[in-house]
Amino acid sequence: MSLPQPHVLIVEDEASQREVLVYNLTAEGFRTTAAMDGEEGLLMVAEEKPDVVVLDWMLPRLSGIEVCRRLKINPATREIPIIMLSARSEEVDKVRGLETGADDYMVKPYSISELMARVRTQLRRVRPSSIGEMLTFEDIALDSETHRVTRAGQPLKLGPTEFRLLSTFMERPGRVWSRDQLLDLVWGRDVYVDTRTVDVHVGRLRKALTAAGGEDPVRTVRGAGYALG
Ligand code: CA
């Protein structure tokens, strides 16, 4: 089992532009979904939280700037990076775009390879393991490309679920994850699993991490969930 592909949501009303984006992002190894207007875009974010949103400014029903504003004031979605696309090139628009909380901004016609690079930049920030980055936390190192995990230089044996749990933890050390969040991220939203399953796998992960000695780096946060460190 490999890590889930990074998911990019495209919100663009022009069919030809949408197709170019879907084609190129898919070729880059991303899972892509697409919405045709602002309202649909908002619904799709709520339904299946993407890792990055590529958002056109001029959209029917609800403008890109309004979609951006709503996503950034909602605590459930504010951490999702948004790259805004706009045909307008005025500096004032760029400032407005970024003030609304967009994480990046590109003016049409943009270079597709430049856009791919910027999507990767955002992913590196929020989900580094999804693009094959090496993650480290104290003496633990996780290579998401080869799926090798070491502690103090010694290889560890982890099951696929424990590997995914650990990479989720290592992407955001210190962050407290609820059992429900972990279920969504590690098992996927379509899978029905009891939240106690999370406890079982965290237990196995702890056992693997401490098998050769060393402190247990996973912290249980009462009433909240788990955190690394
Ligand atoms: Ca448009």
Side-chain angles (χ1 to χ4, degrees):
M1 181 169 31
S2 63
L3 291 169
Q5 282 174 297
H7 173 200
V8 181
L9 170 67
I10 299 152
V11 189
E12 165 66 85
D13 56 319
E14 266 170 77
S16 59
Q17 299 242 10
R18 207 166 50 235
E19 277 161 27
V20 168
L21 287 170
V22 168
Y23 176 84
N24 283 281
L25 287 162
T26 307
E28 285 277 308
F30 303 134
R31 189 162 71 83
T32 54
T33 47
M36 289 176 241
D37 63 58
E39 270 179 24
E40 190 185 14
L42 271 185
L43 282 174
M44 287 179 75
V45 173
E47 229 165 69
E48 194 186 0
K49 271 176 87 195
D51 297 304
V52 175
V53 179
V54 175
L55 179 64
D56 186 28
W57 180 303
M58 301 292 275
L59 288 171
R61 286 149 74 88
L62 201 60
S63 74
I65 207 92
E66 183 57 23
V67 172
C68 180
R69 200 183 65 77
R70 294 198 193 175
L71 292 177
K72 290 299 182 182
I73 56 171
N74 181 350
T77 53
R78 80 159 56 115
E79 285 175 22
I80 302 172
I82 297 176
I83 302 174
M84 290 225 41
L85 304 177
S86 165
R88 311 157 154 219
S89 61
E90 291 88 353
E91 200 60 21
V92 59
D93 286 336
K94 176 167 180 171
V95 171
R96 257 184 78 203
L98 296 173
E99 265 176 2
T100 322
D103 298 86
D104 203 350
Y105 182 97
M106 291 193 83
V107 174
K108 292 180 183 177
Y110 51 84
S111 126
I112 196 81
S113 58
E114 176 64 23
L115 178 64
M116 295 299 128
R118 298 207 191 178
V119 168
R120 284 183 170 275
T121 301
Q122 296 301 328
L123 280 169
R124 191 167 294 123
R125 197 162 63 74
V126 293
R127 277 198 55 201
S129 72
S130 70
I131 51 169
E133 297 278 297
M134 182 85 171
L135 302 179
T136 56
F137 174 77
E138 292 175 356
D139 59 352
I140 304 165
L142 180 148
D143 185 333
S144 46
E145 215 145 39
T146 62
H147 281 210
R148 281 170 53 116
V149 180
T150 58
R151 183 158 196 194
Q154 297 304 307
L156 298 184
K157 258 189 99 68
L158 294 185
T161 305
E162 288 70 41
F163 178 83
R164 285 169 69 155
L165 258 178
L166 182 62
S167 51
T168 302
F169 284 141
M170 286 182 72
E171 284 184 339
R172 308 286 277 280
R175 170 172 176 159
V176 180
W177 301 95
S178 71
R179 288 169 177 82
D180 283 322
Q181 286 172 326
L182 291 172
L183 276 180
D184 278 359
L185 285 163
V186 176
W187 280 264
R189 293 189 77 136
D190 309 329
V191 184
Y192 179 76
V193 198
D194 195 273
T195 49
R196 272 170 302 183
T197 308
V198 176
D199 301 332
V200 171
H201 286 276
V202 168
R204 286 187 196 158
L205 174 62
R206 285 177 151 146
K207 215 169 149 191
L209 288 173
T210 55
E215 269 185 37
D216 179 5
V218 182
R219 192 159 52 90
T220 305
V221 184
R222 262 189 71 195
Y226 295 103
L228 183 68

